[in-house]
Amino acid sequence: MSNAEHDERRSAIIHAVWQVIAHSGMGAVSMRNVAAAADSSVGRVQYWFPSKDELLRASLEEMLSEAARVHSEATEDIDDREALWQLVGHPIPLAESSRAGVSVFHQYVAAAFNHPALARMLAEAKEGEESATSLLLGRVNPGLEDPRATARSLMATADGLSMRVLIGGLSAAEAEQALRTELDRFTTPEKEATTGTARGDHRRKSVVGSTKAPSGDGQGPP
């Protein structure tokens, strides 16, 4: 079997895990259900992933890697302010097509309460995201007193807003506006904010101007 065929078969099984979670919930993940979703056999799934734990670990790892790749490509040629929005805002499912991916990610988070390996992977991913957000905040607003604490607060806000969108408590547009408003508080240098207020200029654009956030959530499909 060539490397390409190897990767293709493994990827099909991982995508099948996401499909099962999206359609039936984390509790429905089993060798039999994943094999059916992948149009494969239980034996073939077990060849690549000997246990359900292996399926969950590998599929979460792939989701996190894919999210990092998508973010890297999306921010390659944009300024720090827009890159900051892309990083902080990605949990909010701004397009209907991204809701499934965000929902699947939250189900991994819930499963991590009783699965130390998943918890460790998610904690490491959040730590990396926090460091990157802190770095961008420091570049956008060099006078910000504690970029790390601010990054943590913004990420928590985004996660909470994302959950409210998923359960129907907020629209994606309302969540986006709330997060952009909060982000503006920390990315407008004090001198600029004071000058704008003194002029009575209430038309200042948000941190990323009129640019819309990408439709993808960055969490990985299914």
Side-chain angles (χ1 to χ4, degrees):
M1 182 187 302
S2 69
N3 288 337
E5 290 174 318
H6 175 284
D7 292 344
E8 184 178 338
R9 292 186 182 184
R10 186 178 187 278
S11 180
I13 294 171
I14 286 176
H15 279 76
V17 175
W18 295 339
Q19 183 178 339
V20 170
I21 296 172
H23 291 170
S24 305
M26 183 66 74
V29 175
S30 67
M31 293 294 179
R32 185 179 300 278
N33 288 341
V34 170
D39 194 22
S40 185
S41 67
V42 171
R44 178 159 290 178
V45 173
Q46 290 177 322
Y47 173 80
W48 297 104
F49 306 100
S51 68
K52 177 179 175 178
D53 280 355
E54 285 293 330
L55 273 174
L56 293 179
R57 281 197 295 268
S59 57
L60 176 57
E61 182 179 26
E62 180 66 20
M63 177 173 278
L64 296 173
S65 296
E66 178 69 7
R69 184 191 65 77
V70 168
H71 175 73
S72 178
E73 291 180 357
T75 58
E76 188 174 0
D77 297 314
I78 61 177
D79 63 25
D80 286 342
R81 284 175 180 261
E82 175 63 8
L84 180 59
W85 166 253
Q86 295 269 2
L87 186 58
V88 173
H90 77 83
I92 298 175
L94 296 174
E96 188 62 32
S97 60
S98 68
R99 289 180 68 93
V102 177
S103 174
V104 168
F105 179 79
H106 278 270
Q107 292 191 63
Y108 277 109
V109 173
F113 280 94
N114 298 306
H115 199 304
L118 298 185
R120 188 163 49 251
M121 293 167 67
L122 289 165
E124 289 174 357
K126 282 295 185 182
E127 178 65 25
E129 184 180 332
E130 185 178 292
S131 295
T133 301
S134 175
L135 179 63
L136 286 168
L137 281 165
R139 290 178 182 172
V140 172
N141 185 1
L144 189 62
E145 184 174 344
D146 191 342
R148 171 70 71 165
T150 301
R152 191 168 299 152
S153 175
L154 287 169
M155 288 168 56
T157 299
D159 287 339
L161 289 169
S162 172
M163 182 180 65
R164 291 193 63 188
V165 172
L166 290 176
I167 63 177
L170 285 176
S171 70
E174 289 171 329
E176 177 188 9
Q177 183 57 49
L179 185 58
R180 286 183 183 275
T181 299
E182 188 68 7
L183 192 57
D184 273 346
R185 291 180 54 230
F186 298 108
T187 54
T188 303
E190 185 176 350
K191 182 177 180 181
E192 178 184 333
T194 302
T195 302
T197 302
R199 289 198 309 262
D201 182 6
H202 301 295
R203 297 173 298 169
R204 180 176 56 82
K205 293 182 179 179
S206 67
V207 63
V208 292
S210 59
T211 304
K212 298 295 289 183
S215 59
D217 53 83
Q219 305 282 12

